[in-house]
Amino acid sequence: MTVKSTILISAAAFVLAGAAPALAQTEIQWWHALTGANNDVVVKLAEDFNASQKDYKIVPAYKGSYPDTLNAGIAAFRAGTAPHILQVFEVGTGTMMSAKGAIKPVFELMKEAGETFDPKAYLPAITGYYSTAKGDMLSMPFNSSSMVMWYNKDAFKKAGLNPDAPPKTWPEVFEAGKKLKAAGFDKCGFTNAWATWANIEQFGAWHNIPIATKGNGLDGFDAVLNFNSPLFVKHLTNLVELQKDKTYDYSGRTNNGEGRFTSGECPIMLTSSGFFGNVKANAKFDWANAPMPYYPEATGAPQNSIIGGASLWVMGGKKADEYKGVAKFFTFLSDVDRQVKLHTESGYLPITKAAYEKVKASGFYKDKPYLETPILELTNKEPTENSRGLRFGSLVQIRDIWSEEIEAALNGQKTPKAALDAAVERGNQMLRQFERTASR
């Protein structure tokens, strides 16, 4: 070998050595369902994590709505192209839990990666939803939320309502809706997004009444739906009556109708606390939020709300080094100051106790009480069998069935009782189908 050859080989080796760190960087694919201001949060988190170290690169990708993202993840797993991290809304929890082999439980992931991980550091009202009965955390809470009542304070003033004393009960909401309609909001006195989340799932927990046996499905896939009970029927009957003159106006199955609040069309809207980013960015009026209303005759109401939003599931079948990168990213997400920043800027709940205590101690909630409303709802009382949460397989499809029946009642095609009877019967048929599949 000549001197010249040796130099060339050495130079090539140096170049390759210099390029090694970039080649060794492991990409972590993160599929999510967030748009607008919340999409910006996802992108910023990925950028900050990528800048904090050189071994791993988080690559976020928007995959459509929550159901679309869940379906895309399932299809990709079957095709062998699943991402490392899949954001799944709480409705898909039962489906993900039953997908043995398709997921990597978070508690196993963190242990195998050697990351510091204390499940007790997280808010139990949030993590309980994503954990087994033994307390093993299966997915990482991310954009957790609950349902609150957003209201237009300027509209309240126009209607002669006290903007600093929002209605607390459903009868008070109905009266406020009538006054708002009379004051010019003739298309919609009040409304809600997420039809079944508002009027079945949260409604049941907030009133401490069951929507199914087996702790609303948390204790087994053999749960039986039973929410065709008197208070649910009364509530739907009220909505049907009030829709006739637009005191109440239906805004659809998902959150597509939330713009009716920020545009000023509907001055009261029940929807996710995660709506905060859009309200802050788009509402051209003074606004606030308040806890969900309740029927005063319901014993013990209000009870506690249940969480919404989504968590991050780790998909199965990945390499150990890739899992190590995912675990480091979850540690990064759980950092106290990062959680404080996420909560105060996005409106989603802090997932750790330390982050919540730090925000509370800072006095932040005195000026921005609307960001504490969902936390106070979730922790209003010790959860009961009816308010721990819910977990049903095929809930995405079941929600569509429930929505169809609610819409049939609102359209006058069925009585409220007949619609809820059908919602329960059809939902139970799907639960039994899922139970047979999950038991194989």
Side-chain angles (χ1 to χ4, degrees):
M1 184 179 292
T2 65
V3 173
K4 184 177 181 181
S5 298
T6 303
I7 292 173
L8 287 173
I9 291 171
S10 299
F14 177 78
V15 170
L16 287 172
L23 291 173
Q25 191 176 48
T26 301
E27 285 198 356
I28 306 295
Q29 301 294 324
W30 176 14
W31 289 7
H32 69 88
L34 298 178
T35 58
N38 293 328
N39 176 69
D40 296 341
V41 170
V42 168
V43 172
K44 184 69 166 56
L45 280 171
E47 290 175 347
D48 288 351
F49 176 73
N50 295 341
S52 72
Q53 46 73 53
K54 296 181 179 178
D55 295 330
Y56 304 98
K57 180 181 180 182
I58 295 291
V59 182
Y62 170 70
K63 289 292 177 178
S65 66
Y66 278 136
D68 290 341
T69 302
L70 174 59
N71 291 333
I74 292 172
F77 176 76
R78 290 170 178 164
T81 57
H84 302 83
I85 303 171
L86 181 67
Q87 184 194 26
V88 177
F89 63 158
E90 90 286 358
V91 175
T93 300
T95 298
M96 296 300 288
M97 283 184 67
S98 67
K100 296 175 182 175
I103 63 166
K104 178 80 170 177
V106 164
F107 75 97
E108 287 184 10
L109 172 94
M110 301 301 274
K111 183 179 180 181
E112 291 173 7
E115 289 292 314
T116 301
F117 178 66
D118 178 10
K120 294 180 181 177
Y122 298 83
L123 285 171
I126 297 174
T127 55
Y129 204 93
Y130 302 117
S131 301
T132 67
K134 296 179 180 177
D136 293 330
M137 198 186 298
L138 299 177
S139 62
M140 177 61 72
F142 178 57
N143 56 320
S144 295
S145 62
S146 195
M147 177 159 281
V148 298
M149 182 176 70
W150 296 91
Y151 67 98
N152 179 333
K153 297 181 76 171
D154 290 347
F156 269 47
K157 292 176 186 173
K158 185 178 179 182
L161 297 164
N162 185 348
D164 297 318
K168 294 181 178 178
T169 68
W170 275 111
E172 290 173 0
V173 171
F174 302 154
E175 290 307 309
K178 291 173 183 176
K179 290 181 180 179
L180 289 161
K181 181 173 173 293
F185 298 91
D186 55 350
K187 295 181 180 176
C188 173
F190 72 96
T191 187
N192 59 264
W194 302 109
T196 66
W197 193 40
N199 298 308
I200 295 177
E201 297 154 39
Q202 291 285 5
F203 186 89
W206 200 230
H207 291 88
N208 193 22
I209 51 177
I211 66 173
T213 61
K214 294 281 184 177
N216 291 335
L218 288 173
D219 297 333
F221 287 135
D222 55 342
V224 178
L225 300 171
N226 57 8
F227 59 82
N228 50 343
S229 53
L231 195 60
F232 285 99
V233 175
K234 176 178 181 175
H235 182 56
L236 184 54
T237 300
N238 284 331
L239 297 184
V240 168
E241 287 302 312
L242 292 168
Q243 168 128 324
K244 291 176 181 175
D245 70 354
K246 299 293 183 183
T247 296
Y248 168 76
D249 198 43
Y250 184 66
S251 291
R253 302 179 181 185
T254 67
N255 62 340
N256 290 338
E258 285 179 338
R260 300 184 76 190
F261 178 78
T262 48
S263 71
E265 181 181 336
C266 294
I268 297 177
M269 172 170 277
L270 274 75
T271 189
S272 170
S273 57
F275 187 33
F276 166 72
N278 284 328
V279 174
K280 184 174 68 171
N282 300 313
K284 307 302 181 188
F285 48 81
D286 195 12
W287 51 267
N289 68 23
M292 293 182 289
Y294 61 94
Y295 284 93
E297 66 266 35
T299 303
Q303 173 58 42
N304 66 279
S305 67
I306 55 178
I307 67 164
S311 64
L312 303 180
W313 289 83
V314 183
M315 303 302 288
K318 303 299 182 184
K319 297 176 182 176
D321 186 51
E322 295 170 336
Y323 281 140
K324 194 169 184 178
V326 175
K328 286 194 175 299
F329 181 55
F330 284 176
T331 298
F332 172 87
L333 288 179
S334 302
D335 174 77
V336 174
D337 289 337
R338 187 157 293 103
Q339 279 297 313
V340 168
K341 184 177 174 63
L342 273 173
H343 169 53
T344 55
E345 292 185 359
S346 74
Y348 283 114
L349 304 179
I351 63 173
T352 64
K353 296 174 185 174
Y356 176 46
E357 292 302 327
K358 188 167 186 175
V359 175
K360 194 159 59 172
S362 73
F364 177 84
Y365 296 127
K366 290 179 181 175
D367 293 330
K368 295 180 174 61
Y370 41 81
L371 287 186
E372 193 176 25
T373 302
I375 304 174
L376 297 177
E377 285 184 324
L378 283 165
T379 57
N380 187 51
K381 290 178 182 172
E382 192 69 23
T384 70
E385 284 294 286
N386 302 323
S387 66
R388 285 189 294 151
L390 54 95
R391 189 174 294 154
F392 304 122
S394 301
L395 187 53
V396 176
Q397 294 78 11
I398 289 174
R399 267 187 168 183
D400 279 337
I401 288 173
W402 293 350
S403 294
E404 285 177 11
E405 297 298 339
I406 289 173
E407 290 161 4
L410 292 170
N411 293 333
Q413 297 167 335
K414 291 183 178 180
T415 67
K417 180 66 167 66
L420 291 178
D421 285 346
V424 163
E425 181 181 354
R426 295 175 64 195
N428 279 328
Q429 289 173 1
M430 291 209 67
L431 286 181
R432 300 292 73 80
Q433 290 175 5
F434 181 84
E435 184 184 359
R436 288 192 292 273
T437 303
S439 300
R440 289 175 183 169

